């Protein structure tokens, strides 16, 4: 007890006072310092002179009283160690094995061994005529005359092209389900501009009707992304489009079933977005950050910094934990041997971003403009993460060198031809794929479903091929390029031994207009589109089955025709007799004020619904002689031996071209809207108060708002669209107003061209809305009341009276079959009770096939918009999508019932007007009852007749060609219904003299 006790005060002598001197404060410090020094010297002396003692810390702990310092549990420590180990192994792992695979973890339960014989196999950069053997959900062999067991099913491809399954690397299918219901829209978590922590797998709907429709287009794999409303939208997921009987979205994942034996890295995916969408919503609607790109990029960097800090904390923790692991070998560990004060750092909000910084996430970024692309590349370098792909990226072709600053070769996932819908989409270039490819940047095409119909994704590759993109690269952009960008090229994207058995057998070459799959195989199982997609037979399936009658698509006589692809052809056209045989001179002559000229050596001239001329019939080329802007002669007897040609006029050698009337556009508001997302570039949305007694005086007229020579009009004109019927735009009002028919080629204003306006009052327009404050029934009743109540008024001063008496068409934009039926009842009522025939026109008409007999009986025409049916809304859910799901399309049924029909562009102003001829060709490719003459009529004279644009006496006007009529036409260098055909010349459309296009853009 010596040295460590306190003397009892009772043992002290009792004195009157303590006579000892108390130490000063300084003295105390001196005494304390001396004691510390003595203790230190003593320790040093003993350590140098006493024998060393080996003490095991664990033994010391066990032999002590086992007082454990505060800290995390042994279980928490081990869980943290596992996280550290995973990060270490993931960083060291190869992206994926290059070995030949012998197992498909997603093998379909109903997959059977299959031998695809007599196939024209696309192998990425060449073709092989031979066989493909599928076994256990994998491609087992490729070659000629493959020998298999007798039990193996044989499928004769009959010379058709076989490609890998299409990979769509930008889709919102299953999180934005078809039908347009709010309940089925889980695309954007719009509660914060940065939500990297949400996951689409938690919302993927395996019953989305879009799955079946999209798969019917040959798409076998899709990257399902969150939307672009947020800067950081969240985690994405790659799924295959084979239905699962369990309706488990987890089983749809391409990584489903992957185990250690597959030696495969299962990647995570993420979506981010920059530019207009996030700042437009948060800054525009909510008045919060980000209001600008400045704010966007601050938030990007702020979140990346937070993730970077968390990553460093995790690495620090792992470093400390690894020291403990080394100090305490596994054999000596127990709960008292592991004492860190904090658990492994983790934050669910930042977990996915940390994984991105650790190179565990495949990042896909929605970016359009150069400054946005450069900012994201800069962020990736600053915070050391990788960008897999820029999506949309319509300006990427302008900045390939900026894109190449990134550490990885970023893929550009884009559209081949979709533009102008917002400022970011203004600088699109149809030659962008070629420009990017030449710069060494991989190009992929994607859908953005349901913004566009992913079923028709091959159409993007077709359009790129049309504009000169290489055949093989066009197909690679849908297969191997997106597969590699998604780090899945070890499984999908090419036809190779060991890859997943995902194949598409095409009816015709996939780059030909109208190509559709004959067979689609996923994981070794052929999809059957004739039965319900899921366990439950839906109402839609029942209706479609009733319509599946003995209609067949066009077949080809010879096997070689099934894989024939017309070669890409440049324009061939010359000027003779004036020495103008070089491009510059030719262009000068063609663009000057020339209203008299001669075209010779034309192969075909389509004139009207009953007249066409074919050089093959006559055994010589056809002529068109134009004098003072009018056709003075058409046919073979128009050479100098028969008539006198205009003096000193250019003579164009057309090289076997095809001439049709100028195309008529309907559906998109050409001339009224330049950039859909920018109000200042539009006429605006019409507000017509139908309760106003003077509404007939105040009604909005499109003629008052058209702006000529805009970029949309210029591009439409260059594609042969010479006339547009444009109606006022409405947001949610029933009455749109009065549409105008005008010539698209006018280069200044209506004052400068005598015939700029074809018809100031082309039609009275209504739009049925389902998000209006007015019920649908009230809207239909209002149409009826407006017409009937004004029947007795003066039609010269009341547009409703004029419409009710049938003097101008009444266009009703509507899709629903029952609502169309209600419009037909109004026509019947007015006809029966008042003896007037209202000229109703149905615009939209997705379900019009279900009332086709009544439309025919009452002579109500339909303008299909879009031309290819797509059930995006509840009101269009019964539309016929066509082969291979339904034998017929809506158009097929209407034509069969002799309904007058035309094709409109989409109702989104995205530049589709210039593609109307392709919409006609798409239907021509499959309907055995549709002739080329009929197809031309769908976009020319049918529309002109429906809107009364043709002179009823002289039978000439827009949409028709006739001797004595205006020379309003478009000439192609070959069949306009095949990709690769080029517009050589457009004449008319409000311009004096022909406009020529040696190259097309």
């Amino acid at each position: 007890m010596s040295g460590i006790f306190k003397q009892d005060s009772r043992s002290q002598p009792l004195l009157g006072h303590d006579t000892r001197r108390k130490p000063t404060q300084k003295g105390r410090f001196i005494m304390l310092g001396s004691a510390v020094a003595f203790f230190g010297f003593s320790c040093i002396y003993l350590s140098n002179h006493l024998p060393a003692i080996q003490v095991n810390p664990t033994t010391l702990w066990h032999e002590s009283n086992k007082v454990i310092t505060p800290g995390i549990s042994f279980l928490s420590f081990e869980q943290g160690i596992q996280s550290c180990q995973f990060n270490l192994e993931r960083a060291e792992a190869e992206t994926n094995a290059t070995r030949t695979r012998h197992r498909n973890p997603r093998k379909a339960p109903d997959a059977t061994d299959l031998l695809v014989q007599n196939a024209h196999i696309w192998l990425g950069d060449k073709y092989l005529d031979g066989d493909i053997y599928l076994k256990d959900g994998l491609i087992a062999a490729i070659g000629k005359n493959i020998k298999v067991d007798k039990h193996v099913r044989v499928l004769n491809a009959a010379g058709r092209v076989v490609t890998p399954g299409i990979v769509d690397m930008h889709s919102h299918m299953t999180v934005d389900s078809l039908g347009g219901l709010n309940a089925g829209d889980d695309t954007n978590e719009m509660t914060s501009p940065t939500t990297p922590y949400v996951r689409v797998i938690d919302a993927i709907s395996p019953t989305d009707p879009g799955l079946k429709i999209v798969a019917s287009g040959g798409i076998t794999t899709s990257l399902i992304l969150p939307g672009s409303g947020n800067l950081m939208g969240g985690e994405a997921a790659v799924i295959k489009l084979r239905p699962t009987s369990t309706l488990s979205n987890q089983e749809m994942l391409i990584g489903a079933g992957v185990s250690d034996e597959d030696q495969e890295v299962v990647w995570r995916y993420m979506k981010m977005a920059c530019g207009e969408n996030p700042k437009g919503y948060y800054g525009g609607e909510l008045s919060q950050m980000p209001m600008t790109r400045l704010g966007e990029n601050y938030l990007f960097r702020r979140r990346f910094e937070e993730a970077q800090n968390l990553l460093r904390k995790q690495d620090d923790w792992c470093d400390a934990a690894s020291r403990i692991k080394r100090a305490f070998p596994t054999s000596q560990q127990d709960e008292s041997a592991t004492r860190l004060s904090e658990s492994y750092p983790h934050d669910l909000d930042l977990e996915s971003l940390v994984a991105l910084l650790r190179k565990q996430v495949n990042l896909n970024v929605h970016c359009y403009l150069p400054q946005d692309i450069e900012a994201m590349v800069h962020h990736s370098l600053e915070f050391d993460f990788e960008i897999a792909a820029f999506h949309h990226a319509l300006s990427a072709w302008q900045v390939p060198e900026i894109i190449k600053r990134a550490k990885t070769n970023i893929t550009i996932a884009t559209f081949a031809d979709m533009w102008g819908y917002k400022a970011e989409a203004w600088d699109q270039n149809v030659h962008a794929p070629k420009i990017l490819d030449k710069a060494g940047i991989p190009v992929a095409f994607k859908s953005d479903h349901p913004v566009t119909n992913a079923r028709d994704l091959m159409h993007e590759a077709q359009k790129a091929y049309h504009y000169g993109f290489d055949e093989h690269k066009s197909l690679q952009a849908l297969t191997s390029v997106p597969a590699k960008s998604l780090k899945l090229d070890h499984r999908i994207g090419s036809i190779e031994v060991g890859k997943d058995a995902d194949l598409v057998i095409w009816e015709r070459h996939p780059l030909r207009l109208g190509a559709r799959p004959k067979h689609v195989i996923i994981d070794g199982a052929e999809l059957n589109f004739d039965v319900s997609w899921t366990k439950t037979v839906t109402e839609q399936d029942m209706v479609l089955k009733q319509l599946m009658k003995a209609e067949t698509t066009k077949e080809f006589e010879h096997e070689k025709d099934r894989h024939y692809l017309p070669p890409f052809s440049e324009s061939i056209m010359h000027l003779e007799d004036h020495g103008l045989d070089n491009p510059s001179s030719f262009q000068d002559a063609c663009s000057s004020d020339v209203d008299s000229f001669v075209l010779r050596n034309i192969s075909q001239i389509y004139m009207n619904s009953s007249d066409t001329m074919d050089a093959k019939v006559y055994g010589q080329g056809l002529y068109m002689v134009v004098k003072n802007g009018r056709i003075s002669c058409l046919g073979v007897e128009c050479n100098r031996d028969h008539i006198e040609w205009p003096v000193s006029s250019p003579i164009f050698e057309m090289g076997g071209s095809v001439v049709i009337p100028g195309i008529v556009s309907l559906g998109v508001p050409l001339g009224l809207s330049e950039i859909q997302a920018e109000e200042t570039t539009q006429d605006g949305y019409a507000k017509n108060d139908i309760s106003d007694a003077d509404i007939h005086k105040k009604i909005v007229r499109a003629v008052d708002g058209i702006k000529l020579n805009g970029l949309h009009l210029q591009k439409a004109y260059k594609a042969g669209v010479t006339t547009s019927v444009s109606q006022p735009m409405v947001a949610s009002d029933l009455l749109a107003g009065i549409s105008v028919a005008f010539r698209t080629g006018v280069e200044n204003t209506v004052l400068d061209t005598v015939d700029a306006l074809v018809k100031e009052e082309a039609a009275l327009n209504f739009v049925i809305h389902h998000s209006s404050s007015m019920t649908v029934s009230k809207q239909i009743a209002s149409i009826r009341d407006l017409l009937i109540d004004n029947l007795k008024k003066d039609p010269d001063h009341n547009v409703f009276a004029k419409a009710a008496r049938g003097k101008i068409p009444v266009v009703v934009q509507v899709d629903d079959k029952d609502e169309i039926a209600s419009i037909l009842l109004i026509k019947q009522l007015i006809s029966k009770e008042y003896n007037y025939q209202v000229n109703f026109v149905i615009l939209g008409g997705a379900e019009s096939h279900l009332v086709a007999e009544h439309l025919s009986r009452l002579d109500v025409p339909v303008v299909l918009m879009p031309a290819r049916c797509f059930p995006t809304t509840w009101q269009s859910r019964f539309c016929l999508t066509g082969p291979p799901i339904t034998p017929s399309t809506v158009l097929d049924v209407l034509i069969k019932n002799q309904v007058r029909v035309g094709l409109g562009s989409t109702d989104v102003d995205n530049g589709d007007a210039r593609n109307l001829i392709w919409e006609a060709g798409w239907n021509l490719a499959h309907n055995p009852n549709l002739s080329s003459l009929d197809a031309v009529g769908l976009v020319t004279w049918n529309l002109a007749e429906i809107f009364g644009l043709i002179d009823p006496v002289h039978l000439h006007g827009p949409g028709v060609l006739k001797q004595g009529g205006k020379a309003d036409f478009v000439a192609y260098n070959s069949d306009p219904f095949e990709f690769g055909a080029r517009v050589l010349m457009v004449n008319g459309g409000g311009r004096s003299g022909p406009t020529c296009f040696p190259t097309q853009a």
Side-chain angles (χ1 to χ4, degrees):
M1 296 175 66
S2 63
I4 311 178
F5 74 98
K6 182 177 181 180
Q7 189 177 23
D8 192 334
S9 62
R10 289 174 294 181
S11 64
Q12 297 292 332
L14 298 176
L15 300 173
H17 63 277
D18 186 2
T19 59
R20 292 174 295 179
R21 186 178 180 180
K22 296 181 180 180
T24 64
Q25 184 74 12
K26 180 177 180 180
R28 291 193 187 97
F29 279 114
I30 293 173
M31 294 171 61
L32 179 61
S34 299
V36 171
F38 176 80
F39 180 80
F41 284 123
S42 299
C43 290
I44 293 172
Y45 177 85
L46 290 173
S47 65
N48 290 330
H49 293 83
L50 292 177
I53 301 174
Q54 300 295 330
V55 180
N56 187 311
T58 306
T59 304
L60 180 64
W61 283 7
H62 280 280
E63 292 180 356
S64 67
N65 292 328
K66 295 189 176 182
V67 177
I68 301 173
T69 59
I72 63 174
S73 68
F74 177 74
L75 178 60
S76 179
F77 178 81
E78 285 299 313
Q79 289 174 341
I81 288 292
Q82 291 175 9
S83 296
C84 298
Q85 188 65 26
F86 172 81
N87 291 333
L88 181 63
E89 293 175 353
R90 185 66 175 77
E92 296 175 349
E94 296 182 3
T95 54
N96 270 306
T98 56
R99 63 185 178 84
T100 300
R101 297 164 64 243
H102 298 284
R103 191 181 92 93
N104 181 350
R106 282 186 43 89
K107 176 190 174 183
D110 55 342
T112 58
D113 294 352
L114 175 66
L115 180 65
V116 179
Q117 281 186 334
N118 193 18
H120 194 58
I121 308 167
W122 180 69
L123 295 176
D125 59 359
K126 60 184 177 181
Y127 293 91
L128 170 70
D129 290 321
D131 310 332
I132 308 173
Y133 178 39
L134 308 181
K135 181 177 177 61
D136 296 328
L138 294 175
I139 298 173
I142 306 164
K144 296 185 177 183
N145 302 316
I146 298 175
K147 304 300 181 183
V148 295
D149 295 337
K150 293 182 178 179
H151 74 276
V152 174
R153 178 189 165 210
V154 176
L155 175 60
N156 184 5
R160 295 181 176 91
V161 174
V162 180
T163 69
I166 295 175
V167 181
D168 183 1
M169 62 182 294
H170 189 123
S171 177
H172 306 295
M173 179 173 53
T174 70
V175 292
D176 191 358
S177 297
L178 289 190
L181 301 180
N182 292 332
D185 184 1
D186 293 300
T187 317
N188 288 289
E189 179 57 44
M190 300 295 284
T191 51
S192 166
T194 55
T195 58
Y197 38 78
V198 299
R199 310 177 303 179
V200 297
I201 188 59
D202 299 320
I204 285 177
S205 169
T207 59
D208 180 359
L211 284 164
K212 181 177 182 178
I213 294 172
V214 172
S216 74
I219 292 79
T220 57
T221 305
S222 293
L223 172 63
I224 308 302
L225 294 165
S228 55
N230 291 337
L231 298 172
M232 297 178 176
E235 288 203 54
V238 177
I239 65 172
K240 285 205 179 182
L241 273 59
R242 174 173 58 81
T244 58
S245 60
T246 60
L247 297 186
S248 166
N249 57 21
Q250 293 282 347
E251 292 181 11
M252 297 172 69
L253 295 174
I254 195 166
V258 171
S259 62
D260 292 340
E261 67 176 295
D262 298 302
Q263 299 179 24
E264 178 177 340
V265 173
V266 177
W267 281 87
R268 296 166 68 178
Y269 301 88
M270 181 179 287
K271 167 73 176 295
M272 293 186 186
C274 53
E276 287 188 41
N277 288 11
K279 81 185 188 81
Y281 176 75
Y282 289 99
E285 295 189 26
L286 302 184
S287 296
Q288 69 178 63
M289 183 179 282
M291 301 184 75
T292 64
R293 285 179 167 83
L294 286 69
E296 286 186 343
N297 288 289
Y298 163 76
L299 288 177
F300 272 128
R301 297 181 70 237
R302 182 65 176 166
R303 297 297 171 257
F304 287 135
E305 181 186 53
E306 291 173 354
Q308 192 176 65
N309 290 337
L310 179 56
L311 181 146
R312 289 169 178 163
K313 290 179 181 179
Q314 290 177 350
D315 288 348
D316 289 345
W317 191 97
C318 290
D319 180 69
S322 67
R323 293 171 184 269
I324 291 176
K325 292 288 285 186
R326 289 194 298 270
F328 299 96
T330 305
S331 60
Q332 298 177 6
Q333 284 189 27
D334 65 13
E335 293 189 6
S336 62
T338 56
R339 310 306 300 167
L340 281 177
S341 61
E342 295 180 354
S343 299
Y344 178 80
H346 180 78
D347 186 337
L348 190 60
D349 286 358
L350 297 173
E351 188 273 334
S352 59
L353 287 181
V354 172
L356 172 67
L357 299 185
R358 293 191 184 280
K359 313 296 192 295
Q360 298 170 5
V361 174
N362 182 281
L363 177 61
N364 296 264
V365 186
H366 161 124
C367 267
Y368 284 83
L369 297 182
Q371 61 266 36
D372 293 325
I373 291 172
E374 185 169 22
M376 288 305 302
V377 169
H378 186 75
H379 298 331
S380 74
L381 296 174
E382 180 182 3
F383 294 96
D384 191 25
F385 61 86
E386 295 177 354
I387 300 171
F390 281 123
H391 289 238
H392 306 314
L394 294 186
S395 292
W397 64 276
Q398 298 174 317
V399 288
E401 295 306 316
I402 290 177
I403 296 168
K404 290 162 71 173
R405 292 177 191 169
K407 292 182 178 180
T408 54
N409 195 8
I410 298 174
T411 298
I412 301 300
T414 189
F415 300 116
D417 175 39
M418 182 174 172
W419 67 281
Y421 43 93
K422 56 182 177 178
E424 290 178 334
W426 195 245
D427 290 329
Q428 187 267 354
N429 186 338
V430 294
H431 302 296
K434 290 187 293 184
I435 296 170
L436 292 166
D437 178 70
K438 186 176 180 180
I441 297 173
V443 176
F445 300 124
K446 46 73 182 177
S447 71
D448 201 14
H449 180 99
V451 176
T452 65
N453 187 354
R455 177 199 64 179
D456 299 334
L457 183 53
M458 180 57 77
H459 197 42
E460 293 300 307
Q462 293 168 350
K463 288 185 285 189
Y465 172 74
H466 170 82
Y467 289 112
F469 200 34
D470 176 77
E471 171 190 351
H472 297 298
K473 291 185 181 295
S474 294
L475 293 174
Q476 290 167 13
L478 295 179
T479 52
S480 57
V481 172
K484 185 175 183 179
S485 180
L486 296 173
K487 300 185 185 297
L488 293 170
D489 51 320
H490 64 295
R491 290 186 57 174
I492 59 176
S494 60
I495 298 178
E496 298 178 64
V497 173
K499 298 288 183 74
D500 289 2
D502 298 349
L503 300 178
V504 184
I505 304 174
W506 297 88
E507 272 286 2
R508 53 165 58 186
H509 193 289
L511 293 180
R512 287 185 66 184
L513 181 59
R516 286 191 175 117
K518 181 76 171 179
H519 304 274
V520 180
I521 299 168
I522 304 179
D523 296 325
E526 182 175 356
L527 302 188
N528 185 351
F529 298 106
D530 293 335
V531 299
S532 176
W533 193 250
T534 63
K535 291 180 178 180
T536 306
V537 177
T538 65
E539 180 184 6
Q540 181 185 30
D541 290 318
M542 295 174 64
V543 173
L544 296 182
K545 287 178 180 179
Q546 294 173 2
L547 290 164
M548 287 184 183
K549 299 179 181 179
E551 294 283 350
T552 57
T553 58
K554 291 180 179 177
E555 272 288 355
F556 302 97
E557 294 182 3
H558 305 289
E559 287 185 4
K560 66 178 182 180
D561 294 333
R562 295 191 173 103
H563 62 249
Y564 168 72
L565 179 64
F568 176 80
S569 57
E570 293 289 351
S571 300
I572 48 171
M573 186 166 57
H574 309 283
L575 277 172
E576 296 185 354
D577 295 348
H578 291 267
L580 302 175
D581 55 359
N582 62 74
S584 60
S585 297
F586 166 78
Q587 188 67 20
D588 291 341
C590 201
S591 60
S592 62
D593 191 11
V594 175
D595 59 2
S596 297
F597 53 89
V598 177
L599 309 183
R600 71 180 183 187
N601 198 17
I602 303 170
S603 64
Q604 287 179 301
I605 302 176
Y606 294 89
M607 301 183 335
N608 52 55
S609 59
S610 58
D611 296 320
T612 185
M613 295 181 180
D614 194 325
K616 292 179 181 178
V617 175
Y618 301 101
Q620 58 181 299
L622 306 172
Y623 291 83
M624 176 187 289
V625 180
V626 178
K627 187 174 182 180
N628 298 325
R630 293 188 174 271
I631 300 173
S632 62
C633 191
L634 274 177
V636 294
E637 297 183 349
C638 297
N639 56 26
R640 281 198 173 101
D641 295 336
H642 292 83
I643 68 167
E644 181 179 346
W645 286 359
V647 178
S648 301
S649 297
I651 301 168
F652 295 88
E653 170 60 41
M654 302 304 289
S657 65
V658 177
V659 175
I660 71 171
I663 295 170
V664 179
S665 169
L666 185 81
V668 295
L670 284 177
L672 294 172
S673 174
E674 196 68 346
I675 304 176
Q676 185 186 11
E678 296 289 341
E679 292 183 357
T680 58
T681 71
Q682 304 172 2
D683 178 54
Y685 291 99
K687 298 290 184 182
N688 291 297
D689 184 3
I690 59 175
S691 65
D692 190 332
D694 293 326
I695 183 60
H696 66 284
K697 297 179 182 178
K698 302 176 182 178
I699 189 170
V700 173
R701 298 171 182 268
V703 67
D704 298 323
I706 58 170
K707 303 292 188 296
L708 302 175
N709 204 31
L711 191 59
H712 278 85
L713 284 169
Q714 291 175 21
K715 292 192 176 186
Y717 182 79
K718 290 173 68 175
V721 178
T722 58
T723 304
S724 176
V725 180
S726 298
Q727 67 187 57
M729 300 181 297
V730 290
S732 59
D733 287 5
L734 168 66
L735 178 59
I738 302 173
S739 55
V740 60
F742 66 97
R743 303 191 188 279
T744 61
V746 178
E747 296 182 275
N748 199 1
T749 72
V750 294
L751 298 176
D752 301 293
T753 305
V754 175
D755 59 350
L757 301 178
V758 179
K759 199 172 184 181
E760 290 191 31
E761 293 185 343
L764 176 65
N765 295 265
F766 296 93
V767 180
I768 302 294
H769 290 279
H770 292 80
S771 57
S772 171
S773 58
M774 187 185 299
T775 65
V776 173
S777 55
K778 177 63 176 176
Q779 292 177 64
I780 292 173
S782 297
I783 296 173
R784 181 181 62 241
D785 294 344
L786 279 170
L787 295 175
I788 293 177
D789 292 348
N790 288 280
L791 263 174
K792 304 297 185 181
K793 306 289 179 63
D794 181 3
D796 293 331
H797 298 89
N798 187 300
V799 69
F800 299 104
K802 185 183 293 186
R805 297 186 182 193
K807 295 185 178 296
I808 62 170
V810 180
V811 176
V812 182
Q813 187 173 334
V814 58
D815 284 315
D816 185 276
K817 58 182 175 59
D818 296 295
E819 293 161 19
I820 295 173
S822 295
I823 298 300
L824 297 182
L825 286 174
I826 296 175
K827 182 178 176 73
Q828 284 188 166
L829 173 65
I830 295 177
S831 175
K832 182 178 180 180
E833 299 294 332
Y834 303 96
N835 201 30
Y836 285 111
Q837 297 296 325
V838 182
N839 291 327
F840 279 117
V841 178
I842 302 300
L843 176 62
E847 295 184 355
S848 59
H849 58 286
L850 295 173
V851 287
E853 294 181 3
H854 304 290
L855 288 165
S856 178
R857 174 174 57 86
L858 295 170
D859 192 24
V860 174
V862 175
V863 179
L864 293 174
M865 184 185 73
R868 283 167 283 145
C869 177
F870 184 30
T872 55
T873 66
W874 182 257
Q875 288 71 36
S876 61
R877 67 191 186 280
F878 295 139
C879 80
L880 297 177
T881 57
I885 293 181
T886 62
S888 302
T889 65
V890 178
L891 177 66
D892 298 338
V893 177
L894 294 177
I895 290 176
K896 185 176 181 180
N897 284 273
Q898 299 182 328
V899 177
R900 289 188 294 153
V901 62
L903 300 181
S905 190
T906 61
D907 57 352
V908 178
D909 194 9
N910 58 13
D912 275 354
R914 67 178 177 184
N915 298 332
L916 281 168
I917 191 67
W918 291 341
E919 298 297 350
W922 187 283
N923 289 280
L924 174 64
H926 294 279
N927 189 328
N929 301 314
L930 197 67
S931 68
S932 295
L933 185 68
D934 296 329
V936 172
L938 292 173
V939 293
T940 56
W941 50 74
N942 286 14
L943 292 166
E945 290 171 357
I946 289 170
F947 286 89
L949 307 182
I950 299 175
D951 186 325
V953 178
H954 301 98
L955 299 179
H956 60 71
V960 295
L961 294 176
K962 184 180 180 182
Q963 193 159 308
K966 284 184 176 294
D968 195 282
F969 66 86
V970 52
Y972 301 86
N973 68 340
S974 57
D975 184 354
F977 300 122
E978 291 285 1
F979 282 120
R982 299 284 171 151
V983 173
L984 300 180
M985 176 187 293
V986 178
N987 192 73
R991 295 190 186 183
S992 177
T995 303
C996 303
F997 307 103
T999 60
Q1000 190 176 10

